[in-house]
Amino acid sequence: GAWQPALQLLHDMAEDHIERATITFNAAVSACEKGGVWERALQLLLEMVKDRVERDTITYSAAISACEKGGAYGPALQLLCEM
């Protein structure tokens, strides 16, 4: 799926010391949502916290949608509470 190249690009940016901003992560989280890999979307949110990248409404919306599509309603509700 398209989510794999998106994650590879995000990884390559980190390797090359290129700043990964909210919009960059949002694109990757959205790609994970479209690819049906909700667990990876949640990992990206944790990575954002670790790297001190701000999470916004778009970030949460894509991650919640990814969880919903994967039937992961518990994590989706937890994200909703974090917003």
Side-chain angles (χ1 to χ4, degrees), residues 20-27 48 53-56 59:
R20 302 180 303 166
T22 302
I23 192 168
T24 313
F25 274 98
N26 286 352
M48 291 176 80
V53 177
E54 182 181 348
R55 298 177 293 178
D56 62 14
T59 313

Side-chain angles (χ1 to χ4, degrees), residues 42-81:
L42 295 183
Q43 289 174 350
L44 288 173
L45 265 65
L46 293 175
E47 204 171 317
M48 291 176 80
V49 171
K50 182 179 69 90
D51 291 352
R52 295 188 168 103
V53 177
E54 182 181 348
R55 298 177 293 178
D56 62 14
T57 306
I58 296 168
T59 313
Y60 280 104
S61 178
I64 289 168
S65 181
C67 290
E68 180 267 326
K69 287 180 179 177
Y73 301 109
L77 287 173
Q78 185 177 351
L79 289 172
L80 193 58
C81 292

Side-chain angles (χ1 to χ4, degrees), residues 22-39:
T22 302
I23 192 168
T24 313
F25 274 98
N26 286 352
V29 172
S30 182
C32 289
E33 179 237 334
K34 289 175 178 56
V37 287
W38 65 270
E39 299 98 333

